[in-house]
Amino acid sequence: MSNLNHLETKDINVWFGERHVLRDVSLQFQNNHVTALIGPSGCGKSTFIRTLNRMHELIPSAGLSGQVLLNGEDIYAQAVDPVNVRINIGMVFQKPNPFPTMTIRENILSGLKLSGRKIEDGDGLVETSLQRASMWNEVKDRLSEPALSLSGGQQQRLCIARSLAMDPNVLLMDEPCSALDPGSTRRIEETILELKENMTIVIVTHNMQQAQRVADSTAFFLSENGNPGEVVEFDTTENVFMRPKDDRTNEYVNGRFG
Amino acid sequence: MTDTLAQPRPKNAAPWEKLGSRVRFASWITSLVPAAIFVAAWLGLQLDFMAALLTIFLPIQLAFGAWAGFYSYGRKGVNDGLLMVVTFFFSTFVLVLLASVIWSVISEGAAALSPHFIYQNNRYITGTTGLEIGGAGHAILGSVIITGITTVITVPLAIATAVYLTETRDGARGVVRTLLQALAGLPSVVAGLFIYSMLIVSGWSSQVGVMASLSLIPLMLPTISRVAEESLRLVPSELRNGALALGAPSYKAFFMVTLPAAKSGIVTAVLLGVARIIGETAPLILTAVIANETNANPLAGGMATLPTYIYNFLYLGDATSLQRAWGAALVLLIFVGILFVGARVASATRVGSKPKRRKK
């Protein structure tokens, strides 16, 4: 397995219509590290994560400048097909979104079918994907049941497994646990820690404890007084939470605003 | 599983269904007394049924409803009581009307119905010919062919329109939607006249089945697209985004995720479209004439359909003619019924194996 999963952004600026919402975001997501994006609501971290696999451009008024480099190659270069970008950079959304018309098994294999790739060992892929999302034992006897028969936490892990079946270099997670109970949250966090052996993970979270539990590095986003959002501080998680350099970071991570 | 801790459900495990004795008393009084007064007044005073229903029963029932609400729940119950009476009264009213329409079609039409009514045609039949011979077979065949051709042409067009309206961001969507709404208000005879004057009077074609199909397209199209548009709009954007985030090209995301999720709505749309045109008469009289012969060729010769068959015999007006018209109406009704049930069964969303039913 190629262990090169390096993602980097250079001077990302984002607009919606004429409104400038993100300014000069340059971050390095290190190979097989987990990076947490934290910050109060409306600071642009969800917008930012959507620029990393070109989901951002699906919003009608979206605008962008800057570069996103996956292993040194700009995913916004003219010759690059966004479809291929999204195959290599998977995404898990805030709300579990299994495909309701498909079974559990079909959901896992849906990524391959949707991206037009051949399914060689379907059963094996279903098993390994579900195992990596640590839910194989729960669902191995009900693979042909509808995906919506699962509980909310299981649905979200199914969505993670669905992304894993594509064997992405990078996995983006946009508040994956915000709709889940503490038990499901813990299992997803365990999954994240196992997954980072093989891929780079970027996770948006509102939960400070979660960032400290799973992330190697943390970026603090802030948008003040209607200005576009910016990265105030980007460092190892330990430094951001224990020895923040910026006062605003200090106040935020200690729960004094946001 | 710790089955030992589970207990059988007690008989009265629905505390919300236990009504207080006051409520039960009031409901009994309210459902029985106005009906009794109404029957007494109607029979005793020899009143007209509808007049008595609206002038005697409805006001008394409303008053009792208000009283029951007040007696059971105090002032705030009055509006509840009134609303309950109004909803029950009018929904029952409409249901009874509907049932009576269906019943009159069935009871009047049954006399004309026989095996040969389904397959024989109208050749040598006059207004007074007995029911032993002759039938609507040619009209059934014509209806199937004309409706079928229209459906085959219109469904892809209509769904494509709906997809254009929901899945693209094109600037002309507003204009298309407005035109579609205008088209929905198009009187059917105008659609018939259009085809008649443009393609038939001009000599380009003659009165044949396919002309009738063409004239029905503008009637079917807006019905299907508008309902299909609504059902596509109801598919959550998370599903589309989920598919796109897995690296799907837009068309695959649409065919594999969005369309299946909207399937039952789209089937309903097609059904409503078929129901919209299957009873159309005016454009068919103009474009396919009222034929008596069996004709399976939509490109040559006139073609009968069930609506024009009904129209023809109503026009003749003799007793047996009217019976034939009723019979054809019944056939039409059965036809639509089979179609609806069939499509409902076909579109029932079933994913994978049968899901285990959770006990309530």
Side-chain angles (χ1 to χ4, degrees):
Chain A
M1 189 173 292
S2 78
N3 250 1
L4 196 58
N5 306 314
H6 186 82
L7 190 69
E8 181 181 357
T9 68
K10 281 187 178 162
D11 298 325
I12 289 287
N13 283 274
V14 171
W15 293 266
F16 286 123
E18 293 303 315
R19 197 161 56 89
H20 194 180
V21 293
L22 263 183
R23 201 172 79 95
D24 293 339
V25 181
S26 299
L27 296 177
Q28 299 247 0
F29 302 103
Q30 286 179 44
N31 207 7
N32 301 353
H33 269 220
V34 179
T35 306
L37 311 180
I38 61 169
S41 295
C43 65
K45 53 196 189 309
S46 283
T47 302
F48 174 70
I49 202 171
R50 290 171 65 94
T51 66
L52 300 180
N53 69 340
R54 298 192 62 169
M55 290 298 283
H56 170 64
E57 67 208 54
L58 298 174
I59 299 165
S61 63
L64 178 128
S65 74
Q67 287 182 311
V68 178
L69 304 172
L70 176 63
N71 297 332
E73 286 176 40
D74 185 7
I75 65 168
Y76 282 99
Q78 206 173 9
V80 174
D81 185 351
V83 165
N84 292 330
V85 171
R86 295 176 197 142
I87 290 172
N88 293 326
I89 306 181
M91 187 161 199
V92 175
F93 294 83
Q94 184 172 0
K95 223 173 114 188
N97 60 350
F99 300 133
T101 54
M102 300 182 192
T103 64
I104 294 172
R105 184 191 144 87
E106 286 166 345
N107 258 282
I108 301 289
L109 298 177
S110 64
L112 292 179
K113 279 195 192 146
L114 281 165
S115 61
R117 292 202 269 176
K118 273 216 183 97
I119 300 171
E120 266 153 24
D121 177 19
D123 294 330
L125 184 63
V126 168
E127 182 171 347
T128 42
S129 304
L130 286 168
Q131 256 162 0
R132 290 171 80 187
S134 61
M135 66 184 302
W136 171 248
N137 287 330
E138 291 162 63
V139 299
K140 66 180 174 205
D141 299 323
R142 41 195 293 210
L143 295 177
S144 55
E145 283 183 28
L148 290 188
S149 68
L150 297 171
S151 73
Q154 288 174 323
Q155 287 184 16
Q156 188 65 301
R157 277 183 286 144
L158 178 66
C159 293
I160 294 175
R162 185 173 72 184
S163 296
L164 296 177
M166 305 289 289
D167 196 23
N169 300 95
V170 179
L171 188 62
L172 309 175
M173 305 176 111
D174 187 0
E175 295 183 49
C177 303
S178 64
L180 305 182
D181 63 285
S184 303
T185 302
R186 185 175 55 82
R187 303 196 58 173
I188 287 183
E189 288 176 6
E190 286 165 6
T191 304
I192 292 172
L193 293 175
E194 285 166 27
L195 290 177
K196 74 169 185 174
E197 306 285 317
N198 294 314
M199 62 186 71
T200 302
I201 294 175
V202 183
I203 177 170
V204 169
T205 178
H206 275 292
N207 182 329
M208 300 298 139
Q209 286 76 31
Q210 183 169 61
Q212 293 180 68
R213 285 192 295 261
V214 300
D216 303 298
S217 313
T218 297
F220 173 54
F221 282 67
L222 189 61
S223 147
E224 284 176 309
N225 312 323
N227 285 325
E230 284 183 283
V231 175
V232 173
E233 192 156 349
F234 177 49
D235 207 334
T236 62
T237 300
E238 203 187 339
N239 283 344
V240 168
F241 282 93
M242 301 303 165
R243 294 175 286 279
K245 294 191 192 74
D246 195 291
D247 284 344
R248 294 168 296 178
T249 314
N250 189 23
E251 285 181 18
Y252 183 75
V253 300
N254 288 306
R256 282 198 275 277
F257 79 98
Chain B
M1 289 291 258
T2 51
D3 276 354
T4 46
L5 289 178
Q7 291 179 354
R9 174 183 164 132
K11 281 217 170 60
N12 56 351
W16 53 90
E17 279 169 8
K18 284 182 208 145
L19 295 176
S21 57
R22 276 174 85 85
V23 180
R24 210 176 312 133
F25 171 71
S27 349
W28 275 110
I29 295 282
T30 315
S31 19
L32 294 180
V33 176
I37 296 176
F38 165 67
V39 171
W42 172 45
L43 295 177
L45 301 173
Q46 299 286 314
L47 293 171
D48 178 61
F49 179 81
M50 283 304 290
L53 191 71
L54 291 174
T55 55
I56 297 178
F57 178 73
L58 184 58
I60 296 178
Q61 182 69 70
L62 279 172
F64 267 86
W67 166 79
F70 185 76
Y71 181 77
S72 316
Y73 302 109
R75 281 193 58 158
K76 67 188 165 62
V78 174
N79 288 343
D80 276 358
L82 284 174
L83 188 64
M84 200 138 145
V85 171
V86 169
T87 33
F88 268 74
F89 181 79
F90 285 105
S91 48
T92 316
F93 194 74
V94 170
L95 268 181
V96 169
L97 279 184
L98 255 175
S100 74
V101 168
I102 292 176
W103 174 244
S104 53
V105 172
I106 292 175
S107 60
E108 301 267 1
L113 222 54
S114 59
H116 64 258
F117 189 78
I118 307 293
Y119 63 80
Q120 285 186 350
N121 66 20
N122 209 30
R123 207 194 309 195
Y124 313 128
I125 305 294
T126 65
T128 49
T129 313
L131 289 169
E132 316 80 58
I133 60 160
H138 62 309
I140 296 173
L141 183 71
S143 270
V144 170
I145 292 173
I146 289 177
T147 313
I149 294 176
T150 312
T151 309
V152 167
I153 300 174
T154 314
V155 166
L157 287 177
I159 292 178
T161 312
V163 171
Y164 168 74
L165 289 175
T166 52
E167 309 291 311
T168 72
R169 295 188 206 133
D170 196 79
R173 282 178 306 166
V175 179
V176 171
R177 195 176 284 122
T178 313
L179 285 177
L180 213 54
Q181 275 164 3
L183 203 57
L186 181 76
S188 59
V189 68
V190 175
L193 269 175
F194 176 74
I195 298 292
Y196 181 71
S197 59
M198 294 299 285
L199 301 178
I200 297 174
V201 173
S202 68
W204 189 81
S205 178
S206 55
Q207 287 172 313
V208 295
V210 73
M211 289 297 121
S213 296
L214 287 183
S215 72
L216 293 176
I217 290 175
L219 306 174
M220 191 184 206
L221 186 98
T223 313
I224 300 186
S225 336
R226 290 169 73 190
V227 180
E229 185 196 345
E230 279 314 308
S231 62
L232 284 171
R233 204 179 289 287
L234 285 178
V235 176
S237 59
E238 286 93 7
L239 290 184
R240 288 189 184 88
N241 283 341
L244 295 173
L246 285 168
S250 306
Y251 79 93
K252 273 200 176 159
F254 175 73
F255 281 112
M256 286 182 63
V257 175
T258 313
L259 195 61
K263 190 176 87 178
S264 73
I266 287 178
V267 171
T268 308
V270 173
L271 272 183
L272 289 174
V274 172
R276 168 81 175 77
I277 61 162
I278 202 167
E280 275 302 340
T281 321
L284 300 180
I285 294 174
L286 288 167
T287 52
V289 300
I290 300 169
N292 290 322
E293 308 277 333
T294 307
N295 176 15
N297 183 357
L299 296 175
M303 198 178 246
T305 55
L306 283 166
T308 55
Y309 182 91
I310 296 170
Y311 174 83
N312 184 29
F313 279 102
L314 279 180
Y315 184 75
L316 291 174
D318 311 288
T320 47
S321 307
L322 290 180
Q323 279 197 313
R324 283 186 205 276
W326 279 112
L330 179 56
V331 171
L332 194 58
L333 202 69
I334 294 171
F335 210 65
V336 174
I338 292 173
L339 210 67
F340 268 61
V341 173
R344 272 280 149 259
V345 171
S347 75
T349 356
R350 230 175 281 110
V351 184
S353 67
K354 210 172 137 202
K356 281 175 200 159
R357 292 250 167 243
R358 293 214 171 77
K359 278 178 191 165
K360 276 181 187 170

